Amino acid sequence: MAGIARPGVRRAAVLVTALVLGATALSPGSARAAGPRVYLADVPDDALYGIDTGTNTVSAPIPVGYHRGIGIGPEQFALSPDGSRLYSLSSGLGAYSSGPGNLVAISTATNTITGVLAVGSDPKKFVITPDGSKAYVLYTGHITVVDLLDMTVVAKITDTSHPDDAVVSRDGTRVFVTNADGSSITVIDTSTDTVSATVKERTNQKAIVLSPDGQRMYVVNRNRSDTVHVLNTSTYATIATIPVANGLDALCMSPDGTRLYASSQTSATLDVIDTATDTVSSALSIPTWVESLTFSPDGTRAYATSVFGTPESVSVIDTATSTITGTIPIQGGASDAVFSADGTRAYILGNAAVTVVDTATGEVMGTLPDSGAGSFGLVSPAGRLYISGDGDTTVQVIQAASGATLAVIPSVQRGPGTIAVSADTSTAYIAGADGSTVRKINLATGKAVGAPITVGADPSDLVFSHDDTRLYVVNQGTDSVSVLDVLTDAVLATIPVGAFPQSIALSPDDATAYVSNGGEHTTSVIDTATNTVTATIPAGGNGVAVSPDGSTVYLTAYNGVFWVDAATNTITRTVTSTTGLGAAVVSPDGTKLYLDNSVSDTVSVLDIADGSLLATITVGRYPLGMALTPDGTTLYVADTLADTVTAVSTATDTVTATITVGSKNLGSAVGGITVTP
């Protein structure tokens, strides 16, 4: 899809939970409970919830005043050049702060997720090379290069300043990146993934597009008087400077390259630039600033969508005459539009539903059943419509011709909200309120203790040492682990680990910590006496668990689970999977391994002795965390998109209860799991 596009407005709160089991627990003002409890951190409710494992009843919320809203829906879609894969980028951008995101690969043949890569704190956008082999993901301070064939990070480019937009050259040899704060354009050589040139400009750079022949680049320059600079892509010399409306922030090139459309964020104006003369040929009056501009396949019409404005409508533009020929009323406004491959239908992604328009007559044909709100979308060459809802956690797949829903694909986006509870269940730590702190909670009073403790960016998992003297915090955004003194809350050490660490587990003697690195599918081995990484295991990236005797480490990746000899850090067994493995939990007797499968809404039970599958347990929607009771009789599974916890008997591996918790009908995302003795 070619078009002007801006991030959608975040509207939906989400439930972020983390699941912890304690031997005993206190509720505010209550006596000590007789049995273990499940603790859940509910971010929208600013509370902790406790589940009595004897009765499966939920306690009154413990207010902790630690709120953060997280938008977890996909922010950007892109198809591979051959149309076989859809890539979805979830930024983690929330109402209060930024959070970790994921790049998700989806098979367009089966509508299933084939790969997930944690891509760190608040990615802005990504571009794909013409051969489909690499993606370049933009962040505030750097660019990450992803190998799309095996979904791994292969390079990190840091010599850039606040990347804002990017485009790949037509031959795929270079990536041009604008820098909003650096008054420059960074040129990346895709063969070496290094900066080959820095083009200095006079003002802050924003949007960038290329001419169809790739010989010119058009760049938005923001200043008191906004302009579009035209540069030669071979020499980087300035060809022309075009004055446009103030507040310019987005560009869109017509398919034939004869016209460039420039939209303003502060005025309801769409400037049309004649690329032959590099002058503004006309200025179209739009009801409000343009959210997206999309061209029909033949280039004769463009649809300009707006989220706000009166009346709420989509403007239809005749590209030959640069005039608005009609408007299409859309209740609640529209954030995007996509066309069918033959151009006969347009699908308007509105705040209430997806509206189907006959492009020949401009008449509304109806709305897609059960489509709901949509914010981002595209149509594949095979005629399938992919839609992401703003703040939603799924991708809808619709047959464009019939309007039938083919599939609903869950988005993979973990948010903060991880909780760790001390062995005596007197204290909890919660991560993720502002993306760089953890907070101590007195579980007896339900009140915070002291000020938030600064750690690294985007803490994604927490674990206590078995003697409760240390807290280990995995910082996904800064590729590190913080070590806290539990008595003083001082940070004793910060340990560099692999790219985008996800989770952590300790050996039974606390001598070794294992950290899964989602950005490179490895696991860092830490000597806790020296707080240094002593080895890197070439497997894992999602969950990690250690056998009760400490002899074996279990690592999950999206495509399987690995047995690792703890003495030698070598892989001794691999069991493949296609169901999206996340957390791993070992039974107390060391005979069973429980794995949550977020794609299939199941938990797999493996025989640790030989890796065989013992059972598959259907649980709630999108399980992303588990915890066993201390005696190992009950497994609790956090059903992150169902606002429920599923209780499983480990004797029979069957569901014994489904418990509703937290905010209803908001969706959720588990930040991490920790089990206290």
Side-chain angles (χ1 to χ4, degrees):
M1 179 186 70
I4 294 169
R6 298 181 179 84
V9 179
R10 286 286 161 219
R11 292 182 293 271
V14 298
L15 172 66
V16 180
T17 65
L19 191 61
V20 175
L21 281 176
T24 55
L26 294 177
S27 298
S30 73
R32 184 174 294 273
R37 287 193 173 218
V38 178
Y39 280 97
L40 301 101
D42 185 335
V43 176
D45 286 353
D46 294 335
L48 293 180
Y49 287 93
I51 300 174
D52 187 314
T53 60
T55 62
N56 288 331
T57 56
V58 181
S59 72
I62 304 172
V64 295
Y66 202 27
H67 185 80
R68 176 182 177 184
I70 307 295
I72 63 174
E75 293 282 355
Q76 182 190 348
F77 284 153
L79 278 169
S80 61
D82 62 4
S84 65
R85 296 178 305 281
L86 173 71
Y87 296 97
S88 167
L89 182 69
S90 300
S91 77
L93 184 64
Y96 297 87
S97 180
S98 63
N102 284 302
L103 183 65
V104 181
I106 298 169
S107 166
T108 57
T110 62
N111 292 321
T112 56
I113 295 175
T114 59
V116 180
L117 178 66
V119 290
S121 176
D122 192 13
K124 299 168 68 68
K125 70 169 295 180
F126 71 102
V127 292
I128 296 176
T129 54
D131 63 2
S133 64
K134 290 182 181 179
Y136 292 79
V137 186
L138 275 59
Y139 303 81
T140 299
H142 68 277
I143 299 165
T144 292
V145 187
V146 178
D147 184 326
L148 293 177
L149 299 182
D150 57 8
M151 294 292 282
T152 57
V153 174
V154 294
K156 187 175 182 179
I157 302 168
T158 57
D159 41 353
T160 184
S161 176
H162 206 296
D164 193 83
D165 198 9
V167 64
V168 184
S169 63
R170 302 302 181 198
D171 61 5
T173 61
R174 292 170 294 169
V175 179
F176 303 103
V177 182
T178 60
N179 298 301
D181 291 344
S183 300
S184 64
I185 299 168
T186 299
V187 184
I188 299 171
D189 184 329
T190 59
S191 65
T192 62
D193 291 327
T194 58
V195 174
S196 59
T198 300
V199 184
K200 294 294 184 182
E201 285 286 286
R202 285 172 285 177
T203 56
N204 292 343
Q205 310 304 297
K206 298 289 286 184
I208 182 171
V209 297
L210 295 181
S211 59
D213 62 8
Q215 297 180 9
R216 290 185 173 196
M217 70 174 86
Y218 298 82
V219 184
V220 168
N221 286 263
R222 293 292 300 272
N223 204 348
R224 286 175 294 179
S225 297
D226 292 344
T227 59
V228 173
H229 281 199
V230 188
L231 287 82
N232 184 295
T233 56
S234 297
T235 65
Y236 308 128
T238 299
I239 298 172
T241 299
I242 309 168
V244 290
N246 287 345
L248 175 67
D249 73 333
L251 298 173
C252 183
M253 181 69 70
S254 64
D256 62 4
T258 60
R259 293 174 177 81
L260 180 69
Y261 295 80
S263 73
S264 168
Q265 198 172 34
T266 59
S267 63
T269 302
L270 188 64
D271 285 335
V272 184
I273 297 172
D274 185 328
T275 58
T277 61
D278 290 326
T279 58
V280 175
S281 58
S282 60
L284 304 181
S285 179
I286 306 293
T288 185
W289 53 268
V290 176
E291 180 75 12
S292 72
L293 183 70
T294 308
F295 290 94
S296 60
D298 62 6
T300 60
R301 294 180 301 282
Y303 280 26
T305 66
S306 301
V307 173
F308 306 106
T310 303
E312 296 167 332
S313 60
V314 172
S315 299
V316 183
I317 301 169
D318 185 318
T319 57
T321 61
S322 295
T323 57
I324 297 175
T325 58
T327 57
I328 303 169
I330 303 293
Q331 184 178 1
S335 58
D336 201 0
V338 293
F339 285 86
S340 60
D342 61 6
T344 60
R345 296 183 182 185
Y347 302 89
I348 313 298
L349 281 63
N351 291 334
V354 176
T355 301
V356 185
V357 176
D358 184 325
T359 56
T361 64
E363 298 295 324
V364 173
M365 302 172 65
T367 58
L368 296 183
D370 303 320
S371 61
S375 293
F376 310 96
L378 57 80
V379 174
S380 72
R384 290 179 173 180
L385 174 62
Y386 296 86
I387 301 172
S388 162
D390 194 10
D392 192 9
T393 59
T394 62
V395 175
Q396 297 182 68
V397 186
I398 295 172
Q399 185 63 49
S402 65
T405 298
L406 301 177
V408 177
I409 306 168
S411 164
V412 179
Q413 171 61 38
R414 297 179 183 224
T418 301
I419 178 175
V421 175
S422 60
D424 63 5
T425 65
S426 64
T427 304
Y429 285 84
I430 304 177
D434 62 4
S436 61
T437 65
V438 296
R439 175 162 256 180
K440 180 184 283 188
I441 305 296
N442 184 318
L443 290 177
T445 64
K447 296 185 180 299
V449 179
I453 306 161
T454 300
V455 290
D458 302 324
S460 60
D461 199 10
L462 310 174
V463 65
F464 273 95
S465 60
H466 292 88
D467 61 5
D468 281 350
T469 63
R470 298 287 185 268
L471 182 76
Y472 295 86
V473 183
V474 176
N475 305 308
Q476 190 178 69
T478 47
D479 301 341
S480 64
V481 173
S482 297
V483 185
L484 272 63
D485 184 315
V486 172
L487 182 62
T488 65
D489 290 334
V491 177
L492 302 176
T494 300
I495 309 167
V497 292
F500 311 127
Q502 298 280 331
S503 56
I504 185 171
L506 291 172
S507 60
D509 61 2
D510 289 333
T512 308
Y514 300 90
V515 181
S516 64
N517 304 308
E520 56 192 42
H521 303 314
T522 64
T523 300
S524 298
V525 183
I526 297 173
D527 182 331
T528 59
T530 61
N531 289 323
T532 57
V533 174
T534 58
T536 300
I537 303 169
N542 287 350
V544 55
V546 183
S547 63
D549 63 3
S551 64
T552 307
V553 182
Y554 306 96
L555 308 174
T556 67
Y558 196 77
N559 60 349
V561 58
F562 305 85
W563 274 241
V564 175
D565 185 321
T568 62
N569 295 318
T570 56
I571 299 170
T572 59
R573 177 183 290 126
T574 301
V575 177
T576 60
S577 172
T578 59
T579 54
L581 298 180
V585 172
V586 181
S587 62
D589 63 5
T591 62
K592 291 181 179 180
L593 182 65
Y594 293 88
L595 307 168
D596 63 27
N597 307 302
S598 56
V599 173
S600 60
D601 298 338
T602 61
V603 170
S604 297
V605 187
L606 301 187
D607 187 324
I608 282 180
D610 59 11
S612 61
L613 181 65
L614 299 176
T616 300
I617 308 166
T618 299
V619 292
R621 188 180 176 197
Y622 214 69
L624 272 182
M626 300 178 293
L628 275 166
T629 53
D631 61 6
T633 59
T634 305
L635 177 77
Y636 288 89
V637 183
D639 309 319
T640 61
L641 299 185
D643 300 324
T644 60
V645 171
T646 299
V648 175
S649 167
T650 58
T652 61
D653 290 328
T654 57
V655 173
T656 58
T658 301
I659 309 157
T660 300
V661 293
S663 300
K664 309 302 185 292
N665 302 318
L666 291 178
S668 57
V670 171
I673 302 299
T674 303
V675 180
T676 59

